[in-house]
């Protein structure tokens, strides 16, 4: 966010919207499902959560550039479908998990865990959440110690995600992703093709390179790019600045016009 903001001389606001229930609320608030109906922390609820943010906080006439990562790309496509009047200039889809998630190498490993075994993980996660913050931070640094150029800024939000409620909500949403993200939404992609930039990883176990070749074949006029820099799916761990600089170059023309 800081890199994108500075890349355009701080002339354009940059917003990031967390997934509902994935970060610890202020002490004065409880993490509760306040909606009268609907699955607030599920995948559908997360899509409506992003649309609600725009409706409440962003003037309707504002031109938007949306940047999504992983399941965020699926959410962007759904936002485009549900509210076609949004003034979206460009949408950047980074390492997009928009189809056949359960069939991917990582999906085959995680689907049983997220869909059938997640309740077994709740107790150890709860016990982990009781540890002092400094100790949890130390464990996170130890777990990520193999990443040579780790961005230390990711440690604090990762510790927050280990809160019992946050971790449970994240696993619940992940289980829904495995069940819901099946077929690629070709109709929405076709309707918005000129606005979309897709960036696929060369070694992404959540989105195999074959998916890149498939979509490129189905939409020969689309803007599909394959990573040549070795960025990992979770690029925020060590390459957030590099990816943001790249995104700024892609969308620079749109923001200057």
């Amino acid at each position: 966010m800081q890199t994108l903001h500075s890349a355009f001389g701080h002339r354009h606001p940059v917003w990031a919207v967390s997934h509902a229930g994935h970060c610890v609320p202020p002490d004065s608030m409880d993490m509760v499902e306040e909606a009268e109906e609907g699955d607030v922390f599920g995948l559908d609820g997360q899509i409506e959560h992003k649309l609600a943010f725009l409706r409440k906080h962003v003037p309707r006439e504002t031109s938007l550039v949306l940047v999504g990562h992983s399941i965020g790309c699926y959410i962007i496509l759904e936002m485009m479908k549900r509210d076609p009047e949004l003034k979206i200039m460009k949408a950047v889809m980074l390492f997009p998990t928009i189809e056949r998630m359960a069939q991917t190498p990582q999906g085959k490993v995680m689907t049983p865990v997220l869909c059938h075994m997640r309740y077994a993980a709740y107790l150890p996660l709860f016990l982990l959440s009781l540890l002092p913050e400094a100790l949890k931070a130390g464990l996170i640094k130890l777990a990520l110690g193999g990443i040579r150029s780790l961005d230390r800024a990711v440690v604090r939000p990762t510790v927050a995600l280990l809160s019992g409620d946050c971790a449970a909500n994240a696993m619940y949403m992940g289980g829904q992703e495995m069940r819901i993200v099946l077929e690629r939404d070709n109709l929405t992609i076709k309707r918005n093709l000129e606005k979309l930039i897709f960036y696929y990883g060369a070694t992404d176990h959540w989105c195999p390179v074959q998916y890149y070749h498939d979509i490129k074949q189905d939409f020969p006029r689309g803007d599909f790019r394959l990573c040549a820099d070795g960025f990992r799916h979770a690029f925020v761990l060590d390459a957030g600045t590099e990816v943001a600089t790249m995104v700024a170059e892609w969308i620079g023309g749109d923001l200057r016009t």
Side-chain angles (χ1 to χ4, degrees):
M1 289 176 66
Q2 291 172 341
T3 301
L4 285 172
H5 199 212
S6 62
F8 299 105
H10 305 97
R11 295 187 304 274
H12 303 286
V14 178
W15 298 290
V17 186
S18 171
H19 292 312
H22 287 206
C23 58
V24 179
D27 292 337
S28 59
M29 299 174 62
D30 292 324
M31 187 181 293
V32 296
E33 299 193 16
E34 295 181 347
E36 295 180 0
E37 58 183 35
D39 186 2
V40 178
F41 297 143
L43 188 53
D44 182 73
Q46 298 292 358
I47 296 162
E48 291 300 324
H49 174 250
K50 311 306 176 285
L51 288 170
F53 171 84
L54 293 179
R55 292 171 186 143
K56 183 174 181 179
H57 298 289
V58 182
R60 189 68 177 176
E61 66 276 8
T62 303
S63 295
L64 301 169
V65 175
L66 303 183
V67 181
H69 167 247
S70 194
I71 195 62
C73 303
Y74 176 89
I75 289 175
I76 285 177
L77 290 178
E78 282 292 314
M79 292 170 68
M80 288 177 151
K81 180 169 67 175
R82 298 184 188 193
D83 193 348
E85 300 304 315
L86 285 172
K87 293 186 65 177
I88 298 172
M89 301 166 56
K90 193 71 72 177
V92 180
M93 320 288 259
L94 302 172
F95 304 89
T97 54
I98 58 173
E99 58 177 307
R100 296 175 283 172
M101 284 189 67
Q103 298 178 30
T104 65
Q106 194 70 9
K108 291 177 180 177
V109 173
M110 294 304 298
T111 296
V113 175
L114 295 172
C115 294
H116 308 298
M117 300 162 55
R118 60 187 174 89
Y119 292 106
Y122 285 176
L123 178 59
L125 283 170
F126 171 72
L127 295 175
L128 189 62
S129 71
L130 299 178
L131 296 176
E133 296 298 300
L135 182 54
K136 286 191 284 187
L139 291 174
I140 294 298
K141 292 176 184 177
L142 182 64
L144 301 177
I147 300 176
R148 186 172 301 176
S149 52
L150 177 69
D151 184 348
R152 297 289 172 173
V154 306
V155 174
R156 185 177 176 184
T158 304
V159 169
L161 188 59
L162 288 178
S163 155
D165 288 337
C166 294
N169 289 335
M171 294 183 68
Y172 171 64
M173 179 181 170
Q176 286 205 338
E177 292 170 27
M178 299 305 110
R179 293 189 174 104
I180 294 173
V181 183
L182 303 173
E183 298 300 320
R184 189 199 318 138
D185 186 355
N186 288 334
L187 182 58
T188 299
I189 292 173
K190 182 179 180 180
R191 287 174 175 169
N192 298 279
L193 190 61
E194 74 285 353
K195 301 177 182 178
L196 299 170
I197 298 175
F198 288 86
Y199 186 74
Y200 284 81
T203 56
D204 187 348
H205 296 301
W206 277 114
C207 192
V209 175
Q210 186 59 48
Y211 289 12
Y212 159 78
H213 293 299
D214 291 345
I215 195 171
K216 191 174 180 181
Q217 183 176 5
D218 291 343
F219 298 97
R221 295 186 179 182
D223 190 345
F224 304 101
R225 311 176 187 213
L226 186 63
C227 176
D229 297 301
F231 297 140
R232 67 181 78 232
H233 182 87
F235 66 86
V236 293
L237 295 177
D238 57 357
T241 299
E242 291 84 349
V243 172
T245 301
M246 185 171 61
V247 170
E249 293 174 357
W250 297 346
I251 64 179
D254 296 276
L255 292 183
R256 283 190 286 268
T257 56

